[in-house]
Amino acid sequence: MLLAETSRTPAPVAAPDAEDWRELASCRGVASSVFFSPDGERGHARARREANAQQICQDCPVLAQCRDHALTEDEPYGIWGGMTEADRRRHARRLRSGERR
């Protein structure tokens, strides 16, 4: 007896919604100390840590969502979406002054 073959259409892959973009982030599972500075960190140590964090962010599939989150929520600390605290402050100043990207 031959069984009739059924045609199955694969289920569409859902795009991450506003909450589960973090599940797809390249930083998932990386120590938070890579993205957030310890008390008193300055100079070359801070620059090195930030560069390492930004390298992780560089090819992240949800970089834009992470950056948007940080800018919308006004995250005061850490590397978010490849932006440092100083980057986000500069961005906010430009927006307040009406400067375009």
Side-chain angles (χ1 to χ4, degrees):
M1 176 168 150
L2 294 174
L3 297 176
E5 234 180 83
T6 59
S7 171
R8 282 190 154 177
T9 305
V13 177
D17 66 24
E19 293 306 313
D20 47 36
W21 60 265
R22 296 172 198 232
E23 299 291 321
L24 303 173
S26 295
C27 63
R28 188 162 172 81
V30 176
S32 62
S33 60
V34 173
F35 299 92
F36 296 93
S37 66
D39 289 340
E41 182 188 53
R42 304 263 188 279
H44 294 300
R46 184 179 188 108
R48 247 188 332 272
R49 182 191 51 75
E50 288 178 343
N52 288 336
Q54 288 173 317
Q55 190 170 11
I56 293 168
C57 296
Q58 184 176 2
D59 295 321
C60 183
V62 292
L63 181 128
Q65 291 95 324
C66 183
R67 183 174 288 173
D68 289 347
H69 164 80
L71 295 171
T72 301
E73 297 299 320
D74 199 24
E75 289 287 353
Y77 304 109
I79 305 293
W80 289 85
M83 295 178 84
T84 65
E85 299 160 14
D87 294 336
R88 291 191 303 279
R89 283 192 301 269
R90 275 191 299 276
H91 178 80
R93 272 195 307 272
R94 284 193 308 257
L95 288 179
R96 281 193 303 273
S97 71
E99 185 180 321
R100 292 188 172 219
R101 279 187 163 191

